[in-house]
Amino acid sequence: MTKPFDVSAVGYVKRVIVGNIDPEKTANEEEIEVQRQFLNRCLTDSPRGRIIGQEKNFFLLNIGEHQVVMQYIVYHVGFARKPVWLED
């Protein structure tokens, strides 16, 4: 049986962005896949992180007569300590 996650044990929080954060430039699938792989690494490698929160954001862009919605999600990943493999 796994022990329950305790938020008070979180010593380091990393913000991981998945999606397009720059309204001037669209992110391609390869960039988004790299972001997803980084999130998965945060959740699986040692020390293992846990998602403790998330932000959902979007931009509304007017391109000619069309309105485009660009969105991204920011995951707050909590760790007991800062991973050695994580660089800021």
Side-chain angles (χ1 to χ4, degrees), residues 46-78:
S46 181
R48 187 179 223 169
R50 289 289 195 76
I51 296 175
I52 58 174
Q54 60 177 245
E55 306 168 30
K56 296 179 182 178
N57 301 300
F58 64 93
F59 300 105
L60 291 175
L61 299 175
N62 292 318
I63 301 175
E65 297 177 357
H66 303 290
Q67 195 171 45
V68 178
V69 177
M70 297 172 69
Q71 59 186 7
Y72 65 96
I73 299 177
V74 179
Y75 294 97
H76 300 270
V77 181

Side-chain angles (χ1 to χ4, degrees), residues 6-50:
D6 186 12
V7 177
S8 66
V10 172
Y12 181 77
V13 177
K14 175 70 178 169
R15 293 180 80 235
V16 180
I17 301 169
V18 177
N20 190 8
I21 59 169
D22 187 4
E24 299 293 322
K25 180 185 142 209
T26 59
N28 58 25
E29 279 299 316
E30 291 83 23
E31 292 171 346
I32 293 174
E33 185 59 33
V34 168
Q35 294 169 343
R36 283 188 206 125
Q37 289 174 359
F38 181 70
L39 175 62
N40 285 333
R41 182 174 185 189
C42 288
L43 299 175
T44 58
D45 277 7
S46 181
R48 187 179 223 169
R50 289 289 195 76

